[in-house]
Amino acid sequence: MRPSGQRTLVTGGAGFLGSHLCEALIRRGDQVLCVDNFHTGTRDTIAPLLEHPRFELLQHDVTVPLDVEVDRIFNLACPASPVHYQHDPVRTTRTCVLGAMNLLALAERRRARILQASTSEVYGDPEVHPQPEHYWGRVNPTGLRSCYNEGKRCAETLFFDYHRQYGLEIKVVRIFNTYGPRMYVDDGRVVSNFIIQALRGDPVTVYGDGSQTRSFCYVDDLIDGLLAAMDSPAAFTGPVNIGNPDELSMRGLAERVLRLSGSSSRSVHQPLPPDDPKVRRPDIALARKNLGWQPRVPLDEGLAKTIAYFRALLNA
Ligand SMILES: NC(=O)c1ccc[n+]([C@@H]2O[C@H](COP(=O)([O-])OP(=O)(O)OC[C@H]3O[C@@H](n4cnc5c(N)ncnc54)[C@H](O)[C@@H]3O)[C@@H](O)[C@H]2O)c1
């Protein structure tokens, strides 16, 4: 691969999505600077990249200002699973808001293009289904999820104000549930939870009656979406949904995981956590139209790869 000459900063680059993004950028020929404080991410996720001549790692907390030479910034730094972001909610809000301010200030100084990894959580528990980008959401401002949901909403506001006030080139991508290899064993996300429980032969815990729905995007598709958004014409700022519109119930997901993993576990029901959205499905018409992007990996194929990853991890 010929070097592109582009210097790209990925914050949260040692996390689940960040590590896949760093790999994809290296494959494209970029010079990659990965910034992470290892709050949830680890060196293991990026171990294969550490010796690469176009890869650099900087241990740094994005709540502290940063000055580096960059052409492009992907801001992914933030714990993403409820278990992690609720552990220290004040820190989560600081990371969302101060992190965005520091990286926007850097982008402004360097005249760099900057992309924000936002989230479908900005829609809260939606009364519009599926969720298009022009829907403003229904978010509880004082609940257990608010540190993340409102932190991410405030970050979006900052991105658009930097765009309007300073003419910064921004991209805001609302990521819907994504799964794949390198998810964490203990982060309580439904896909990894079900797979680990199934592989260990433990009961698969379904919250509520399991009729609540989600849509899951395989990580490779998500990364293609982030790259397409970053490369889109300057006039396209988003916000744009990136996710897989194939929707299924949590009961249905549990059945698929049990079938694909060949597990003899059974599912058991537990009470729903507070503010758990009942439905979640992206409207991806805007991404299809403006980015020419849509997901390609079917759920069974992505789940099979993810199950293989966790099986190897548990047997290691
Ligand atoms: N995975 C998903 O389904 C999903 C869905 C919606 C949005 N997102 C967003 O995508 C981004 C990445 O998510 P992920 O699933 O890879 O999560 P992750 O927890 O695996 O990765 C986040 C990374 O950010 C780092 N980090 C956290 N706080 C930091 C700080 N203050 N300074 C520097 N680094 C910090 C962590 O150490 C970790 O490596 C997050 O911003 C998340 O909100 C993810």
Side-chain angles (χ1 to χ4, degrees):
M1 167 60 63
R2 261 191 37 224
S4 64
Q6 190 120 261
R7 191 165 156 81
T8 304
L9 167 61
V10 180
T11 73
F16 162 48
L17 298 182
S19 62
H20 286 276
L21 177 61
C22 287
E23 271 179 9
L25 290 166
I26 289 284
R27 276 198 301 274
R28 270 163 52 129
D30 283 18
Q31 177 106 22
V32 175
L33 173 59
C34 165
V35 163
D36 207 293
N37 68 349
F38 301 114
H39 177 42
T40 52
T42 66
R43 274 172 204 275
D44 291 348
T45 60
I46 44 165
L49 297 176
L50 288 173
E51 299 304 318
H52 196 286
R54 281 186 280 103
F55 183 80
E56 212 181 314
L57 171 66
L58 177 63
Q59 184 165 353
H60 178 85
D61 191 311
V62 295
T63 60
V64 176
L66 172 71
D67 196 13
V68 287
E69 298 263 357
V70 278
D71 304 305
R72 291 184 164 195
I73 303 170
F74 288 87
N75 184 29
L76 272 65
C78 184
S81 82
V83 173
H84 291 146
Y85 71 66
Q86 289 171 4
H87 174 68
D88 186 343
V90 173
R91 183 176 180 182
T92 300
T93 304
R94 284 173 60 84
T95 295
C96 289
V97 178
L98 291 180
M101 292 188 92
N102 287 330
L103 290 154
L104 286 161
L106 171 65
E108 199 218 337
R109 260 194 321 277
R110 299 290 174 195
R111 295 318 289 172
R113 182 177 276 205
I114 181 166
L115 179 147
Q116 167 70 354
S118 190
T119 169
S120 54
E121 296 289 336
V122 300
Y123 300 120
D125 190 4
E127 59 285 72
V128 171
H129 189 66
Q131 295 82 53
E133 291 83 352
H134 56 78
Y135 173 55
W136 290 351
R138 185 165 74 117
V139 177
N140 173 358
T142 60
L144 294 177
R145 288 171 169 256
S146 311
C147 57
Y148 181 76
N149 300 5
E150 296 289 20
K152 289 284 188 179
R153 285 169 69 95
C154 183
E156 286 200 9
T157 307
L158 285 162
F159 267 67
F160 277 88
D161 281 334
Y162 261 81
H163 173 65
R164 284 183 288 256
Q165 210 168 322
Y166 304 114
L168 205 61
E169 280 189 24
I170 61 155
K171 310 286 174 188
V172 172
V173 176
R174 292 183 179 153
I175 301 173
F176 282 65
N177 282 334
T178 302
Y179 72 99
R182 298 195 205 134
M183 293 181 87
Y184 309 121
V185 170
D186 56 354
D187 73 358
R189 286 196 245 194
V190 64
V191 173
S192 44
N193 254 9
F194 283 1
I195 293 177
I196 301 278
Q197 290 167 333
L199 292 177
R200 286 183 174 152
D202 294 339
V204 169
T205 47
V206 177
Y207 295 125
D209 65 2
S211 62
Q212 70 276 27
T213 67
R214 297 289 183 275
S215 321
F216 297 102
C217 185
Y218 188 63
V219 63
D220 291 355
D221 283 334
L222 190 276
I223 300 301
D224 286 348
L226 291 184
L227 295 173
M230 182 57 110
D231 291 342
S232 63
F236 184 72
T237 57
V240 59
N241 292 336
I242 295 288
N244 191 321
D246 275 350
E247 185 179 7
L248 87 166
S249 71
M250 294 307 89
R251 221 173 22 233
L253 177 68
E255 282 160 14
R256 287 223 202 183
V257 167
L258 290 174
R259 173 170 53 79
L260 290 165
S261 61
S263 169
S264 53
S265 295
R266 287 159 166 245
S267 46
V268 292
H269 292 264
Q270 285 194 356
L272 271 178
D275 294 335
D276 196 51
K278 282 176 269 313
V279 288
R280 186 54 71 65
R281 174 184 172 198
D283 177 333
I284 60 164
L286 192 67
R288 280 201 172 101
K289 180 166 158 270
N290 285 54
L291 308 179
W293 175 90
Q294 62 179 15
R296 293 173 200 290
V297 181
L299 184 63
D300 276 6
E301 187 185 323
L303 282 178
K305 288 183 179 167
T306 313
I307 290 168
Y309 167 80
F310 278 116
R311 185 169 270 137
L313 196 71
L314 295 182
N315 290 336

